[in-house]
Amino acid sequence: MLGVGIDWAEAFHLVALGRPGEGVIQLRRVEHTPAAVAGLLAHIATLEPDPAEVRVVLETRHGALVERLVDTGFTVLPVNPDLVARRRGPARKKDDAEDARICCVLALDRYTWLRPLLAHGELAAELRAIARDDERAARDQRRLLNRLRADLLASFPAALQVAGDDLGAPTILKLLERWPTHQTLAIASWEELLDFARAAHHGWPERFADQVAQALAADHFTPRDYLVRAKADTIRLAAVQLLAIGTQRRVWERRMGALLGGAPRRGRANTPRPDELDQGQAFPGGEVYLSFPGLGDRLAARVAGEIGDHPEQFESPNALACYAGKAPVTRRSGKRELVVACRLACNRYLAAAVQQWAFCSLQESVWAREFYDAQRTRGKTHQAALRALGNRWLEILWHCLMRGQLYDEPLHIANRNRALGRAA
């Protein structure tokens, strides 16, 4: 057996090689190029011809280097950076070469404690990448909307009256892209506004034109001319960016729904072209995720993409809950009382997705709302109650995935009532 510890970086990697009973025998620097990595793999093959006997420990589970190691057939063992940091000694001195040696020692001595990496298939990897990009785009969208609202409040308050509670609507954004100031919009005639609303596919063009006219005629603070000139291009830029983000997110949503269901979802407009997805090509268990209340295309893709297409790697519902950060951590020391804390060592993407899933399920699941209210009655905060509810949802999801069974709300309520010892 050969142990390999890698301290990875963007430009180069430090690689420590070792054998049982001998410890670290070599330390190499490998540039992050295909040729250099191929040379490393060839050198490892001279030391251990059987790829299955090569154990690689490194502090990441993603990237081109990890994919190359997995494709070679090595047993890849990703670890948390904190695990390496705790073994640096009392001074906690950071040294790349020492970190590579620590990873090599972990591969030799702590192999049975570590969980091998199960690489996602192509569909799961694509789903996870799209879901993460969509979630980041959603954060950018909120940030730009808040910035746009502040700019409009300072230089164009009438636009906020026109938008109401839906500033991010495509019609409003197209309006701001074309007329970013009060003066330019006031010059437009009622007929121009009517034609614009029809071109933007607004449902009630006449009502929209009247709404704009009423907002312009209302009493608003008059901003300084220099501020209006300065903010005009900023407002137009924000509108263009928000329109582009919204368009791309709708494309991603259709793609995520198609990946989960194996075909474009029924009832969705602008379905993907036939060359975008082969019929029948679906993420394993995609229909199971979509059967749960509170999980639409976007949120189901975020949960499914992080769990991956090997849910059997979680040997129990508690293992999945720990991975998602929903299983609580208890602490007790000496005379200190028992403390129940939130788990921080987890998949942050999955933790955020399950938290949102628990919140969305409150409107669609009777027992989820009842469970949440009971947690709040016991004195738990809103987020703590959602974490507890997310823990229950993950337990149900694990059983459904293991059995390949869709979620059935009446059946679960009946089983829950039976377990609680009360009549259905």
Side-chain angles (χ1 to χ4, degrees):
M1 191 273 291
L2 183 69
V4 181
I6 301 179
D7 184 82
W8 68 279
E10 292 184 1
F12 65 90
H13 316 290
L14 291 179
V15 182
L17 306 174
R19 294 185 183 278
E22 301 180 26
V24 178
I25 58 176
Q26 292 183 19
L27 183 65
R28 300 167 58 95
R29 171 179 168 139
V30 179
E31 300 298 326
H32 187 64
T33 62
V37 174
L40 172 65
L41 299 181
H43 178 69
I44 292 176
T46 62
L47 299 176
E48 178 54 63
D50 186 2
E53 293 298 326
V54 178
R55 305 169 185 171
V56 183
V57 172
L58 71 171
E59 299 171 313
T60 182
R61 59 174 53 239
H62 307 297
L65 177 63
V66 176
E67 294 175 357
R68 188 69 182 274
L69 295 172
V70 172
D71 293 341
T72 307
F74 297 160
T75 301
V76 180
L77 306 162
V79 298
N80 192 302
D82 290 339
L83 182 63
V84 178
R86 287 195 295 267
R87 285 163 172 77
R88 290 174 182 158
R92 297 293 179 92
K93 179 182 177 181
K94 176 68 174 74
D95 182 74
D96 293 342
E98 184 62 24
D99 286 354
R101 292 189 181 95
I102 293 174
C103 290
C104 184
V105 173
L106 289 174
L108 296 174
D109 299 339
R110 297 292 185 266
Y111 169 71
T112 56
W113 293 7
L114 304 177
R115 178 176 297 175
L117 174 65
L118 296 178
H120 287 331
E122 291 186 5
L123 291 180
E126 181 182 356
L127 187 66
R128 181 191 63 204
I130 294 177
R132 289 188 177 185
D133 289 342
D134 180 74
E135 198 271 334
R136 282 192 291 266
R139 293 200 301 267
D140 293 338
Q141 197 173 31
R142 290 191 295 269
R143 174 177 54 82
L144 287 171
L145 275 174
N146 291 336
R147 184 185 300 173
L148 177 61
R149 180 177 295 276
D151 291 338
L152 292 176
L153 187 63
S155 62
F156 192 4
L160 291 177
Q161 183 175 342
V162 175
D165 297 330
D166 199 8
L167 181 59
T171 304
I172 302 299
L173 296 176
K174 291 177 182 178
L175 177 75
L176 295 175
E177 180 185 5
R178 184 171 178 179
W179 297 293
T181 65
H182 187 285
Q183 290 78 3
T184 57
L185 184 58
I187 298 175
S189 63
W190 190 89
E191 289 75 14
E192 286 182 291
L193 294 174
L194 185 63
D195 293 338
F196 166 80
R198 288 171 178 169
H201 304 288
H202 193 278
W204 298 276
E206 294 83 1
R207 184 186 303 178
F208 177 79
D210 293 338
Q211 184 178 358
V212 172
Q214 293 174 5
L216 293 175
D219 186 20
H220 299 287
F221 286 103
T222 303
R224 300 299 180 104
D225 292 340
Y226 74 88
L227 184 61
V228 174
R229 291 192 303 270
K231 290 297 183 179
D233 291 336
T234 304
I235 292 173
R236 182 181 287 110
L237 174 62
V240 171
Q241 289 176 314
L242 286 169
L243 284 171
I245 292 176
T247 301
Q248 185 58 53
R249 290 196 68 202
R250 287 190 291 272
V251 173
W252 280 338
E253 183 181 14
R254 293 194 295 270
R255 178 59 176 167
M256 289 185 288
L259 285 172
L260 289 171
R265 300 291 301 281
R266 294 185 297 273
R268 294 194 178 272
N270 300 322
T271 55
R273 299 187 304 271
D275 59 341
E276 291 181 332
L277 185 71
D278 296 331
Q279 295 293 324
Q281 188 183 25
F283 178 84
E287 293 296 336
V288 176
Y289 290 97
L290 293 172
S291 67
F292 278 82
L295 287 184
D297 288 349
R298 285 194 173 111
L299 199 51
R302 290 176 60 188
V303 176
E306 297 303 329
I307 293 177
D309 49 5
H310 295 288
E312 65 277 3
Q313 65 180 309
F314 304 103
E315 62 276 3
S316 66
N318 185 66
L320 178 58
C322 290
Y323 182 67
K326 300 308 169 188
V329 177
T330 58
R331 299 188 181 96
R332 180 183 294 168
S333 176
K335 298 181 179 180
R336 290 180 55 187
E337 296 291 337
L338 178 66
V339 176
V340 180
C342 175
R343 183 178 296 271
L344 299 180
C346 63
N347 184 322
R348 302 295 180 86
Y349 296 97
L350 182 57
V354 174
Q355 194 80 349
Q356 186 175 350
W357 173 20
F359 178 74
C360 294
S361 67
L362 297 179
Q363 300 294 328
E364 301 183 20
S365 175
V366 176
W367 79 265
R369 185 74 208 192
E370 178 184 345
F371 180 87
Y372 172 83
D373 292 339
Q375 295 293 314
R376 294 303 305 272
T377 302
R378 291 171 52 187
K380 287 191 175 183
T381 63
H382 171 68
Q383 296 297 335
L386 289 182
R387 283 195 297 271
L389 177 58
N391 195 353
R392 294 298 178 91
W393 275 125
L394 287 173
E395 180 180 358
I396 303 169
L397 175 63
W398 184 87
H399 286 287
C400 289
L401 290 175
M402 293 300 102
R403 300 173 184 176
Q405 180 179 348
L406 301 182
Y407 174 76
D408 188 342
E409 177 89 356
L411 178 61
H412 175 69
I413 292 178
N415 293 335
R416 185 169 182 269
N417 290 336
R418 189 182 305 111
L420 294 176
R422 61 190 184 190

